[in-house]
Amino acid sequence: MAEIVENNVSADGAPQILTFNLNGDAVTVEGDHECSLLDTLRDRCGIISPKNGCAPMAQCGCCAVLVDGQPKLSCGFKASRVAGKTVTTTEGFSGELREQIAECFVRAGGVQCGFCIPGIVVRAVALLERNPSPTREQIANSLKSHLCRCTGYTKILDAIELLARVRRGESLPPADTTGQIGTRMDRYQAAEFVLGDFKYIDDITIEGSLYAAMRFSDHPRALVKSIDVEPALEHPGVVRVLTAADVPGQRHVGLIIPDWPILVAVGEETRYVGDILAIAVADDQLAAREAAARIVVDYEVRKPITSPEDGLKPDAPQIHPNGNLLAQSKICRGDVENALSASTYVVEGHYSTQMIEHMFLEPEACIAIPTAAEGNGRTGLKVLTQGQGVFDDRRQIASVLGWEEDRLYVELVSNGGAFGGKEDMSIQAQTALAAVLCDKPVKCTLTREESFRLHPKRHPVQMHVKVGCDAEGRLTALWSRIIGDKGAYASVGAKVLERAAGHATGPYRFPNIDIESKAVYTNNPPCGAMRGFGANQSAFAIERALDRLAKKVGIDGWEMRWRNVLERGDRFCTGQKLTKPFGLKETLLAVRDQYRAAKYAGIACGIKNVGIGNGLPDRGKAVLTVEAADRVTIKTGFTEMGQGYFTICIQTACQETGLPPEVFVPLCDTSAEVDCGQTTASRATVLGGLAIIEAAKKLKADMEKLSALSSQHSALSPESSVLTSLIGRQYRGDYACIYTNKLGADVPEPKTHLTYGFATQVVILDDEGRLKKVIAAHDVGKVMNPTLLEGQMEGSIHMGLGYALTEDFVVAGGRIQSKDVMSLGVLRAHQMPEIETIFIEEPDPETAYGARGVGEIGLVPTAPAVAAALEAFDGIHRTQLPMKDSPAAQALLGVKRRS
């Protein structure tokens, strides 16, 4: 066994040597073996299946490997500890086992973005070696070290149960091979994700690449007096250090308002602790990070604004030149004051929701690669991004470089989760700048702590409401004042608070409304898009108020909602009359019996817009290109981030053309002009689907023409020969919804959105007040793929339960207090209750196959339904999230209740 000593050398001065068995082969590695096993495997051995989700915290499980058959979290495990031992990753499993694992996880739907799954697979294999027939509870308990932000764990447990049965000799359920809409077609590339073979950005190595690291602000608000980069430049391996003075183009970026500097300059104030002051570029990642830490910044520290209320005070310092009020939205209809006065019952309350971290498992990463000069002498740049909008990334990067957009090629590498948190650019512009100025490829990957600092969060929102009803419980009026902490930069916060206002009534009829919302800058981390986009904050307030009114009227929560939910022809909060069919009442009927049969149950309804709307165009674009006799690419502007959009693209193309799914390859890059904007507002399936339908119909028409000709002149006319004749042809699809109106537009019949999702959820507690079951009934319009849809809903509910009970991203004085993954309160597999999903199909006549987007609606009603169930249990009307004081939360957190 090799001698392991400190300082990289043995006692005789020889290089430090580590020898161990890796996936059946003896390996010898030189270098610092006091580093983590994860770094050794990834950086020195070329093993990519263990993922870096939180190093060195060892709290997410993505990096799990087997050491002498025992699962270990390799980011917190020193490499020196494996000397003479056997390390096994998914790459080292037998071919038969790898095939079994892949097929079981894929068929069961136990994978979405895929980033967490290889670690979970390692844990599952170790479990099944010890216990070939584990119970579902034993499987869940074995995964306590693992996080999944996408699936809600239900289908992961299904997959491991299936794997156990297959290893005992049972057969797999058959796979769908038609690819038709409505079938359970396997997720595109799912086997690669399951086994860890898919290369996320941090898994990609570019020869000759440099590495970048960011120097973040030390203070939420401080004047930057000087930045001394010399100590960093003196560090071994450092190539260059960049500051604001090095930016050749526009220094500020933003999806709506360009107020976010990619580098804060000397003489300017920092606005939050995630502001970037300098970029260190070095030969390797460690040197770049060490160099960034050596950059000396001289500040004049100033008192931060840490609440929107303080930000609106007349004497408050102005965070941005135009003041601290970013945006204000108002909706008024009828006479609220008189309606409330005439109401039989009126309730008034203050409700608040917390800041939430997205906690996507893959931290931010980017690679930028200079490309050779074209005939016009201009060099170019290829950027690999994980963002939710490749064309927005291209536009903003070009503005920073001072380039025309056509010099940039931006390609999506399917990301390891986003949930809205990768709409804004993170490090793409900084990485691109470093690559251009150094004229070499540059890679940058953030640590989890850096990710916490940098990207926007869910808005914490304060809501003051007054709601009235008549003696029968029919709603009469709503008065609502909403204020959201925007944080340091605009992001899409104006739209989030606009959406909160537009959804303040929930899915209920209100003849009289007076609603006002404000988005206010502070020196807290920026807040932007996150699943639900303001609708779930508003849902908590209105649903809680309805529960109070129901008690006054003397009816249960189901009946209160039944008497007031929107029906066809009613007017929604935004003023839009709902003229198309929808199945909200059907969702209520679907849950009624279980709600009324349960001893402790809560109920809530939800509505969520599909598409951005509010006067902005919603576009879907696609290009189908016949590349070969057996290959048709689908170019789309929307992002695959675990939700299954690429799979839906293939199913749509199969449905329209009749070709098999293996022919189609979906891609997202800027080589074809298919700019659809951000993958947001639950709109990719609806808009992208419409575009693919149009393009695929054109392809099908040409195929039919050629087939007819072929049948006249040849006895052989297979589909492949038809495609051979079409190689090189492109088929475009372009859909645009351009008829929506701005919120508050003075028009007779405003139409604010293309369509909506509708839901009712019931939460049931046991006799101890613990989560027992969630029933989610949703009008989805059309079930495009049952497996993907169930997974989306189960993952949404997981996020909604955490939002209700345990999750919180704590910031005090503008400084982040949530220091690690565990502190966020994201639920683990053993903490999840049973979930039952019920899908109503009331097609929307304007959308792809009638489908309604489902990415966000799944957690809109969850928190208020939990709150209502808790009130049924202990009589406490809770008004603040998270409800950590509740028996349900205490049970999840392992706190014993006092008898």
Side-chain angles (χ1 to χ4, degrees):
M1 184 181 299
E3 180 187 11
I4 305 300
V5 296
E6 297 181 357
N7 301 321
N8 298 342
V9 294
S10 60
D12 61 0
Q16 192 181 101
I17 302 296
L18 175 66
T19 300
F20 61 101
N21 184 291
L22 175 60
N23 293 329
D25 296 321
V27 297
T28 300
V29 182
E30 294 185 6
D32 177 11
H33 303 306
E34 293 306 296
C35 70
S36 72
L37 176 59
L38 178 66
D39 287 343
T40 296
L41 293 174
R42 290 179 60 85
D43 298 341
R44 300 177 190 179
C45 301
I47 298 293
I48 66 167
S49 66
K51 307 300 182 186
N52 184 351
C54 70
M57 300 174 188
Q59 294 177 356
C60 76
C62 296
C63 65
V65 302
L66 297 177
V67 178
D68 284 350
Q70 299 300 311
K72 303 292 181 183
L73 300 182
S74 60
C75 80
F77 196 87
K78 286 186 178 181
S80 58
R81 295 177 61 189
V82 302
K85 297 184 178 181
T86 295
V87 176
T88 308
T89 67
T90 61
E91 289 92 338
F93 293 158
S94 71
E96 180 184 14
L97 178 57
R98 283 170 60 84
E99 184 176 354
Q100 289 175 339
I101 291 167
E103 289 184 335
C104 290
F105 272 78
V106 173
R107 206 61 39 78
V111 57
Q112 289 189 27
C113 85
F115 198 82
C116 66
I117 299 302
I120 288 173
V121 163
V122 165
R123 184 77 59 175
V125 168
L127 170 67
L128 297 182
E129 283 295 318
R130 299 193 312 272
N131 180 1
S133 302
T135 65
R136 195 169 179 89
E137 182 180 8
Q138 288 172 331
I139 295 170
N141 284 330
S142 76
L143 298 179
K144 286 182 177 180
S145 298
H146 296 262
L147 275 185
C148 176
R149 195 57 154 162
C150 296
T151 67
Y153 304 104
T154 299
K155 287 186 168 17
I156 289 176
L157 302 186
D158 292 343
I160 297 173
E161 286 185 323
L162 179 58
L163 178 60
R165 295 197 300 271
V166 168
R167 293 187 72 186
R168 295 196 303 267
E170 295 186 26
S171 299
L172 275 164
D176 171 76
T177 57
T178 68
Q180 298 291 293
I181 291 295
T183 67
R184 293 182 181 271
M185 190 185 98
D186 290 345
R187 178 182 295 271
Y188 177 64
Q189 291 185 316
E192 294 178 52
F193 289 114
V194 169
L195 296 171
D197 297 339
F198 179 84
K199 289 188 176 182
Y200 300 89
I201 289 180
D202 195 38
D203 299 325
I204 297 170
T205 300
I206 305 296
E207 186 175 354
S209 179
L210 301 175
Y211 296 80
M214 308 298 150
R215 174 61 162 93
F216 291 92
S217 173
D218 299 286
H219 305 283
R221 180 171 177 250
L223 176 69
V224 179
K225 297 171 69 176
S226 68
I227 301 174
D228 184 3
V229 303
E230 288 303 317
L233 289 170
E234 294 169 357
H235 191 68
V238 172
V239 174
R240 187 163 180 175
V241 178
L242 309 177
T243 64
D246 294 299
V247 179
Q250 300 296 318
R251 196 159 44 88
H252 292 76
V253 298
L255 289 172
I256 300 173
I257 298 173
D259 64 351
W260 198 331
I262 71 157
L263 287 160
V264 174
V266 172
E268 295 178 344
E269 273 191 358
T270 64
R271 295 184 176 95
Y272 83 119
V273 293
D275 271 329
I276 297 171
L277 307 181
I279 309 165
V281 186
D283 292 336
D284 62 61
Q285 184 172 266
L286 179 60
R289 288 177 176 162
E290 289 174 343
R294 291 169 64 94
I295 297 169
V296 179
V297 184
D298 185 22
Y299 303 95
E300 178 186 297
V301 179
R302 296 174 176 177
K303 185 179 180 180
I305 296 172
T306 58
S307 73
E309 293 79 9
D310 286 347
L312 291 177
K313 290 178 179 178
D315 59 347
Q318 300 300 288
I319 295 174
H320 290 277
N322 292 330
N324 294 338
L325 178 62
L326 169 63
Q328 187 172 8
S329 299
K330 295 183 178 182
I331 312 172
C332 294
R333 188 164 63 245
D335 187 339
V336 168
E337 186 175 353
N338 284 334
L340 287 174
S341 297
S343 298
T344 307
Y345 302 108
V346 176
V347 296
E348 180 176 0
H350 292 262
Y351 298 91
S352 63
T353 65
Q354 75 279 37
M355 186 179 289
I356 291 286
E357 158 66 26
H358 297 74
M359 197 46 224
F360 37 74
L361 269 295
E362 179 201 20
E364 294 83 346
C366 180
I367 294 175
I369 308 163
T371 56
E374 300 174 352
N376 55 18
R378 300 186 310 169
T379 56
L381 191 70
K382 177 180 179 179
V383 179
L384 302 182
T385 180
Q386 50 174 225
Q388 291 181 233
V390 293
F391 288 91
D392 281 328
D393 283 4
R394 183 180 70 173
R395 172 179 56 81
Q396 293 176 92
I397 294 169
S399 75
V400 169
L401 298 177
W403 285 11
E404 296 296 323
E405 288 187 33
D406 63 3
R407 295 176 65 181
L408 282 160
Y409 167 76
V410 181
E411 179 182 336
L412 167 74
V413 177
S414 293
N415 65 48
F419 316 108
K422 292 175 180 175
E423 286 189 22
D424 295 276
M425 285 208 305
S426 56
I427 51 174
Q428 291 95 318
Q430 292 88 344
T431 308
L433 177 67
V436 169
L437 295 182
C438 295
D439 195 26
K440 280 192 173 185
V442 173
K443 179 178 180 179
C444 182
T445 303
L446 296 187
T447 65
R448 180 59 63 183
E449 187 272 337
E450 290 171 337
S451 177
F452 283 177
R453 291 174 78 128
L454 183 62
H455 76 253
K457 316 300 177 192
R458 187 188 295 283
H459 289 74
V461 173
Q462 304 291 324
M463 295 159 287
H464 179 194
V465 301
K466 300 175 188 177
V467 187
C469 72
D470 64 17
E472 300 298 316
R474 291 180 174 82
L475 297 166
T476 56
L478 166 67
W479 178 93
S480 177
R481 294 296 179 265
I482 305 167
I483 186 168
D485 185 345
K486 177 75 264 341
Y489 298 107
S491 179
V492 292
K495 292 297 179 183
V496 172
L497 270 297
E498 178 185 77
R499 208 70 78 245
H503 287 66
T505 63
Y508 305 109
R509 286 185 301 275
F510 275 95
N512 305 282
I513 57 175
D514 180 354
I515 302 164
E516 179 183 286
S517 70
K518 295 178 180 179
V520 184
Y521 286 120
T522 68
N523 292 117
N524 291 325
C527 291
M530 189 174 179
R531 200 177 207 168
F533 206 86
N536 36 2
Q537 289 96 321
S538 287
F540 182 64
I542 192 63
E543 295 289 332
R544 294 271 61 212
L546 259 66
D547 288 334
R548 291 176 64 192
L549 286 172
K551 282 189 173 183
K552 289 179 178 291
V553 175
I555 57 179
D556 67 13
W558 188 93
E559 186 63 34
M560 185 71 190
R561 286 158 178 83
W562 180 256
R563 295 181 185 184
N564 290 287
V565 290
L566 294 165
E567 297 183 64
R568 189 172 182 179
D570 286 338
R571 200 173 297 279
F572 179 48
C573 182
T574 64
Q576 180 172 0
K577 188 175 286 187
L578 303 180
T579 58
K580 297 183 288 184
F582 59 94
L584 178 56
K585 285 201 125 177
E586 287 80 356
T587 68
L588 269 165
L589 290 171
V591 304
R592 179 185 58 191
D593 292 347
Q594 289 195 73
Y595 168 73
R596 287 182 166 164
K599 186 176 181 181
Y600 304 116
I603 190 170
C605 295
I607 184 171
K608 177 65 179 69
N609 62 288
V610 176
I612 296 172
N614 284 134
L616 296 174
D618 274 306
R619 302 195 76 99
K621 296 182 181 181
V623 176
L624 271 60
T625 304
V626 182
E627 308 281 359
D630 59 353
R631 176 183 166 92
V632 178
T633 57
I634 306 172
K635 291 286 183 73
T636 173
F638 291 123
T639 294
E640 171 59 58
M641 48 191 174
Q643 82 278 41
Y645 174 63
F646 278 3
T647 308
I648 296 299
C649 289
I650 294 172
Q651 289 185 262
T652 304
C654 289
Q655 182 74 28
E656 298 301 323
T657 65
L659 291 169
E662 59 268 20
V663 167
F664 294 103
V665 179
L667 300 168
C668 179
D669 60 41
T670 57
S671 63
E673 287 303 318
V674 288
D675 185 0
C676 308
Q678 290 286 311
T679 311
T680 186
S682 306
R683 66 195 190 125
T685 291
V686 170
L687 301 178
L690 288 167
I692 294 169
I693 288 171
E694 180 184 338
K697 284 182 182 297
K698 295 175 183 177
L699 169 58
K700 178 65 171 178
D702 275 3
M703 289 168 57
E704 289 175 343
K705 289 177 186 177
L706 287 171
S707 292
L709 289 172
S710 179
S711 64
Q712 295 173 17
H713 300 289
S714 173
L716 297 175
S717 57
E719 299 289 5
S720 61
S721 68
V722 172
L723 288 181
T724 299
S725 301
L726 297 175
I727 290 174
R729 292 197 189 183
Q730 292 189 334
Y731 302 88
R732 291 184 172 271
D734 190 343
Y735 170 81
C737 174
I738 57 175
Y739 60 67
T740 64
N741 307 113
K742 291 182 179 179
L743 187 67
D746 186 15
V747 295
E749 286 297 333
K751 295 180 179 179
T752 54
H753 293 97
L754 169 63
T755 190
Y756 297 86
F758 302 90
T760 303
Q761 291 184 2
V762 169
V763 172
I764 299 173
L765 307 181
D766 67 13
D767 288 342
E768 298 297 321
R770 298 170 299 195
L771 291 174
K772 180 179 181 181
K773 186 177 183 180
V774 178
I775 305 131
H778 287 249
D779 175 15
V780 300
K782 172 66 176 177
V783 177
M784 304 283 276
N785 181 315
T787 303
L788 299 187
L789 177 57
E790 291 158 1
Q792 280 287 286
M793 287 301 176
E794 290 155 1
S796 293
I797 290 164
H798 165 262
M799 194 173 282
L801 292 174
Y803 184 49
L805 295 169
T806 57
E807 289 193 43
D808 199 0
F809 189 77
V810 181
V811 178
R815 298 182 182 278
I816 296 168
Q817 306 301 304
S818 299
K819 299 297 186 182
D820 57 22
V821 172
M822 292 293 292
S823 69
L824 302 177
V826 179
L827 298 180
R828 311 264 169 162
H830 68 287
Q831 297 169 310
M832 286 295 292
E834 177 190 355
I835 297 173
E836 178 185 352
T837 55
I838 303 168
F839 299 130
I840 308 300
E841 295 184 277
E842 185 66 63
D844 186 300
E846 288 188 90
T847 68
Y849 308 112
R852 307 175 189 277
V854 299
E856 298 172 277
I857 183 66
L859 79 161
V860 170
T862 312
V866 173
L870 287 166
E871 187 167 356
F873 177 79
D874 61 17
I876 299 173
H877 183 79
R878 293 176 173 83
T879 61
Q880 182 175 348
L881 298 181
M883 298 176 285
K884 288 188 177 181
D885 66 325
S886 69
Q890 296 286 289
L892 294 172
L893 297 170
V895 179
K896 293 184 179 180
R897 295 179 62 208
R898 295 180 180 178
S899 58

